[in-house]
Amino acid sequence: MSVPTLTFVIVGQEDHPIYEVDLTGPKEQQTQYLHQFVLHSSLDAVDEQMWTSKEPHLKVVDRFNGLQVTAFVTAGNTRFLLLHDGRSDDAIRAFFTEVYDLYLRVMLNPFHTPTTRITSREFDRKVKLLAKRLIG
Amino acid sequence: MQKPLAPSPAPGTGPTPAKKPTRRCAEVCLELLCVECVRLFHDKQSGPAAAAALEAIGYRVGQQLVERYTRDKPLLGDTLEIIKFVCKDFWQALFKKQVDNLKTNHRGVYVLQDNGFRWLQRLAGPPPPGAGAGADPGREEAARQLALRYLHLPCGLVRGALGHLGVACTVEADPKQLPSCTFTVRIT
């Protein structure tokens, strides 16, 4: 596909999405649904890799039609998933590390329940800024 | 605990590229806060309700702390590894020492023993023997009961930490001999 693809999802402990953002700007409905579907179906693949590896950074876990899903798993079983079309692994690692830092700050907020969606606009803004800076 | 406010788990581990010095808080503030917390809840509610409230607070804080302390560590595999993590890294960060003894019956019960539990250090123990043999067991029992109040919060911390890492359990504390204390974790 010539259209650049970059969708980021944070999945919580109960396997529900806590945060979703489309990092390349607005898209039409069909592709949005497709991206969501691919990301959620890749959760099984993430689980498989989680059981065998000790590294929080998992490399590409799933592929679909030229799109790839890279994952990062935290100790509390929260998964960060990135749907992309073949970006550099190092850039994605750096992105995940920075987002993990932001995510920790949100989690440390006593007014935020760990199982609800992250609705902070600051978080949203910073994630988009990071994506633009690190992944392009 | 003198924890820096920036989210890095080990304070003072080598030169960090910090732009400003990390802010720290005196440990006595935490001790006073815990003591006051216990007093407040026991004044407002009685008995089990106060204990449940303190445990709930501990649970939430335990979840957040463990999220923070597992930051740069490799993923933990099975239950035993998770318990060992709590005994070593988590205890070290919170109470500045590791758990002294860990026992298990391999059927889901783990006993963590800490000889010298930091948060009980300031609690006055029973007077030394020779001050009246008959009064001793009574005073020891009273001291135990008092210590139990202050242990609801740490129990909640451990339960929250384990719960967030995927181990659902119940935690009971037993202050046998102040200041040493055992925590019994039963996996549900």
Side-chain angles (χ1 to χ4, degrees):
Chain A
M1 291 187 192
S2 56
V3 178
T5 317
L6 203 65
T7 314
F8 177 60
V9 164
I10 302 184
V11 180
Q13 290 175 317
E14 323 257 319
D15 287 345
H16 55 253
I18 294 187
Y19 178 73
E20 292 169 298
V21 75
D22 189 0
L23 296 164
T24 52
K27 270 211 221 31
E28 49 175 73
Q29 285 284 5
Q30 279 294 78
T31 36
Q32 270 188 343
Y33 289 148
L34 178 67
H35 293 331
Q36 263 195 347
F37 183 71
V38 172
L39 275 170
H40 287 89
S41 64
S42 69
L43 281 176
D44 281 339
V46 175
D47 275 348
E48 276 179 39
Q49 289 228 5
M50 241 170 73
W51 297 328
T52 53
S53 145
K54 290 242 166 205
E55 267 283 312
H57 280 284
L58 305 170
K59 298 215 211 31
V60 178
V61 297
D62 201 19
R63 286 185 173 80
F64 177 83
N65 258 5
L67 298 175
Q68 298 170 355
V69 178
T70 311
F72 174 87
V73 190
T74 69
N77 209 29
T78 315
R79 283 140 289 182
F80 296 6
L81 299 169
L82 188 72
L83 179 73
H84 61 99
D85 46 8
R87 309 285 171 127
S88 132
D89 197 38
D90 288 328
I92 299 185
R93 273 180 193 243
F95 174 69
F96 277 152
T97 317
E98 296 284 328
V99 174
Y100 188 33
D101 204 36
L102 287 175
Y103 168 77
L104 269 183
R105 282 171 205 262
V106 169
M107 280 294 135
L108 287 176
N109 178 3
F111 297 112
H112 177 264
T113 327
T115 47
T116 56
R117 298 189 75 97
I118 300 180
T119 48
S120 153
R121 277 201 296 265
E122 266 302 302
F123 183 77
D124 195 40
R125 193 179 66 85
K126 285 191 178 151
V127 168
K128 290 187 172 145
L129 219 66
L130 274 174
K132 208 175 302 188
R133 188 163 61 92
L134 291 170
I135 312 190
Chain B
M1 49 192 142
Q2 291 182 337
K3 291 194 322 212
L5 290 178
S8 59
T13 48
T16 47
K19 293 176 268 249
K20 51 185 184 222
T22 49
R23 290 140 67 200
R24 288 163 177 263
C25 179
E27 186 170 354
V28 68
C29 295
L30 177 73
E31 290 181 10
L32 290 173
L33 180 66
C34 290
V35 168
E36 189 56 27
C37 214
V38 171
R39 194 191 66 81
L40 180 76
F41 277 94
H42 278 272
D43 281 348
K44 278 169 67 165
Q45 298 149 323
S46 60
L54 286 168
E55 244 227 275
I57 296 179
Y59 188 80
R60 180 83 177 98
V61 176
Q63 286 181 322
Q64 293 171 310
L65 285 178
V66 88
E67 186 79 55
R68 188 163 138 172
Y69 293 148
T70 53
R71 201 171 158 200
D72 292 314
K73 306 256 188 318
L75 289 180
L76 301 159
D78 61 340
T79 311
L80 187 59
E81 277 188 32
I82 295 178
I83 302 258
K84 287 206 285 206
F85 167 79
V86 165
C87 291
K88 293 192 197 161
D89 298 319
F90 193 68
W91 226 260
Q92 179 76 38
L94 275 183
F95 308 119
K96 300 220 185 117
K97 60 189 286 289
Q98 298 187 353
V99 161
D100 294 306
N101 203 343
L102 172 66
K103 295 192 274 258
T104 174
N105 73 350
H106 293 292
R107 260 183 263 265
V109 180
Y110 298 85
V111 178
L112 285 66
Q113 184 170 344
D114 188 342
N115 307 331
F117 191 55
R118 205 171 178 87
W119 290 2
L120 286 180
Q121 299 277 19
R122 306 267 178 260
L123 202 64
D136 260 354
R139 290 189 75 130
E140 273 196 36
E141 190 50 41
R144 264 196 82 238
Q145 287 300 324
L146 197 60
L148 271 177
R149 283 184 165 196
Y150 294 90
L151 288 171
H152 293 299
L153 198 53
C155 281
L157 278 172
V158 176
R159 197 169 70 91
L162 290 172
H164 198 68
L165 292 170
V167 177
C169 58
T170 56
V171 180
E172 284 160 16
D174 185 19
K176 290 199 298 257
Q177 184 82 9
L178 294 171
S180 97
C181 181
T182 56
F183 292 87
T184 310
V185 177
R186 271 172 240 277
I187 314 284
T188 52

